[in-house]
Amino acid sequence: MSDQSFQTLGEFIIDKQEDFLYTTGELSRLLSAIRLASKVVNRQVNKAGIADIIGKAGNENIQGEEQQKLDVLANEIFIEALSQREVVCGIASEENDDFIQIQASSNAHLSKYVVLIDPLDGSSNIDVNVSVGTIFSIYRRVSEPGTPVVLEDFLQKGVNQIAAGYVVYGSSTMIVYTTGNGVNGFTLDPSLGTYYLSHPNMQFSRTGKIYSINEGNYIKFPQGVKNYIKYCQREEEDRPYTSRYIGSLVSDFHRNMIKGGIYIYPSTSQSPNGKLRLLYECNPMAFLAEQAGGKCTDGFQRIMEIEPTELHQRVPFFCGSYDMVEKAEEFMREAAAN
């Protein structure tokens, strides 16, 4: 094993500070706050089943979805970790109706960064012991530092992201993130409570053998998606592909990045704009995918070029190995033209 394998996440963040456009150490502290919160959430996730933290919380989030107890807990943990360290001036969470202004002290307003977060993606899987995750996205604010954050600080195109990543809580716990200079993965050693660099320079293969989509909704899919699924199942060339769908975006994305594949959450007749959120899920995953040599679109347009109009905006999502996404887009264009 090389010396690089023993590099901790903390050491890696410090080593890479020069990669940041505005290197004041603030972004490093921000990533360290996310690292700390992820350890706390990991501990809670691993107590599911022996503590009263599974099941429904009895209320709904802004999307009208029933919140799980761990949704609420993870949300509180990340907001507290980011707020108390005074490294961000604002936070937007999938679990909150509106963004949060950080006013812990006079220094908080001077921060340059805002964070958008999905604290516990796939939380409905907690009850059945399936991997879940956290997704985060970091932007440099557009409003004047020293003033309260405004909605425009959060409604930025994905191309403006400074950093993005996810934590997957599974058979092992990993943080995978990018600051625009490739994608690196760090695995938590639970005995030491330390993340170590385990997956340097992660890459999507140009193509793959896995397609990930909830085929139970097939009848509701656009014709282009139906045609692409038939293509994946056809016995010719390097096909049929293998269908693998966990139902947890972080887990499906993580597997496909390592093994090669495409993840699709399209529009449906019931959800014409799709279901995944542009700001909390699609933009950060698109940043990671592109940094790892993959591609991410809404079936027609690059995800990171979409202009957000609201905090909880939804979009269709096609993401993964470059050639597979290109082929899916081809089917979408053909169907749209007919």
Side-chain angles (χ1 to χ4, degrees):
M1 188 178 285
S2 67
D3 289 344
Q4 186 185 43
S5 302
F6 292 103
Q7 189 174 29
T8 68
L9 175 55
E11 291 166 344
F12 186 88
I13 289 170
I14 293 168
D15 285 353
K16 298 297 179 181
Q17 272 193 112
E18 68 275 8
D19 291 346
F20 306 149
L21 186 59
Y22 307 94
T23 176
T24 62
E26 195 175 356
L27 185 56
S28 297
R29 295 199 306 276
L30 200 169
L31 291 169
S32 294
I34 291 172
R35 174 187 60 181
L36 173 63
S38 73
K39 292 181 190 177
V40 180
V41 172
N42 177 65
R43 187 178 64 197
Q44 298 299 328
V45 167
N46 283 302
K47 289 196 296 188
I50 58 173
D52 185 27
I53 51 175
I54 62 173
K56 297 170 183 174
N59 50 349
E60 295 182 345
N61 63 17
I62 182 65
Q63 289 85 27
E65 299 165 341
E66 281 198 293
Q67 288 179 308
Q68 306 292 310
K69 291 175 184 175
L70 267 174
D71 277 325
V72 177
L73 187 58
N75 194 41
E76 291 171 352
I77 290 168
F78 274 97
I79 289 172
E80 184 175 359
L82 291 165
S83 302
Q84 289 195 347
R85 291 198 169 195
E86 299 178 8
V87 290
V88 294
C89 52
I91 303 168
S93 168
E94 184 179 296
E95 300 301 326
N96 292 76
D97 295 11
D98 205 354
F99 63 84
I100 301 166
Q101 290 186 26
I102 306 303
Q103 296 174 307
S105 76
S106 58
N107 295 328
H109 278 335
L110 296 175
S111 172
K112 296 184 288 285
Y113 301 107
V114 296
V115 174
L116 296 100
I117 193 159
D118 181 353
L120 206 62
D121 181 79
S123 57
S124 60
N125 286 317
I126 280 284
D127 292 6
V128 291
N129 208 14
V130 170
S131 298
V132 294
T134 296
I135 306 171
F136 61 90
S137 176
I138 302 170
Y139 291 84
R140 190 176 170 86
R141 69 183 297 176
V142 295
S143 59
E144 187 68 30
T147 63
V149 287
V150 294
L151 184 59
E152 287 68 33
D153 290 318
F154 300 93
L155 297 184
Q156 297 191 55
K157 288 183 179 180
V159 290
N160 294 339
Q161 289 174 102
I162 299 296
Y166 61 81
V167 187
V168 57
Y169 311 101
S171 54
S172 62
T173 296
M174 284 186 66
I175 286 183
V176 177
Y177 84 98
T178 182
T179 56
N181 291 281
V183 178
N184 292 281
F186 301 80
T187 300
L188 180 65
D189 181 337
S191 64
L192 299 174
T194 304
Y195 283 102
Y196 290 95
L197 179 61
S198 55
H199 294 66
N201 191 29
M202 298 177 77
Q203 289 283 312
F204 271 99
S205 56
R206 186 76 187 192
T207 189
K209 300 275 290 181
I210 296 170
Y211 70 99
S212 309
I213 189 169
N214 183 358
E215 290 187 68
N217 288 327
Y218 181 88
I219 198 164
K220 304 172 188 174
F221 289 155
Q223 190 59 46
V225 174
K226 291 179 180 177
N227 293 344
Y228 179 69
I229 292 173
K230 289 174 185 172
Y231 166 84
C232 292
Q233 295 171 340
R234 210 170 293 144
E235 199 162 340
E236 59 185 30
E237 299 174 345
D238 62 339
R239 287 167 281 123
Y241 296 151
T242 301
S243 175
R244 291 283 183 271
Y245 186 72
I246 299 168
S248 173
L249 172 59
V250 167
S251 302
D252 280 308
F253 179 96
H254 186 71
R255 180 203 54 241
N256 288 356
M257 182 160 58
I258 291 173
K259 295 190 175 237
I262 184 173
Y263 177 93
I264 303 175
Y265 208 119
S267 59
T268 65
S269 53
Q270 287 180 320
S271 303
N273 296 321
K275 188 179 177 187
L276 298 183
R277 288 77 179 178
L278 174 62
L279 296 178
Y280 307 109
E281 295 164 312
C282 301
N283 270 340
M285 290 310 204
F287 192 17
L288 287 160
E290 291 189 10
Q291 283 294 312
K295 187 171 186 182
C296 206
T297 78
D298 66 356
F300 301 96
Q301 178 185 3
R302 183 185 178 201
I303 285 289
M304 292 208 296
E305 288 287 356
I306 296 173
E307 188 82 56
T309 55
E310 56 185 86
L311 276 178
H312 299 282
Q313 183 173 339
R314 301 172 190 254
V315 290
F317 192 63
F318 296 67
C319 187
S321 294
Y322 197 95
D323 289 350
M324 298 181 82
V325 176
E326 287 256 295
K327 178 59 75 171
E329 286 183 296
E330 187 183 308
F331 280 101
M332 292 297 288
R333 286 192 298 268
E334 285 176 4
N338 294 331

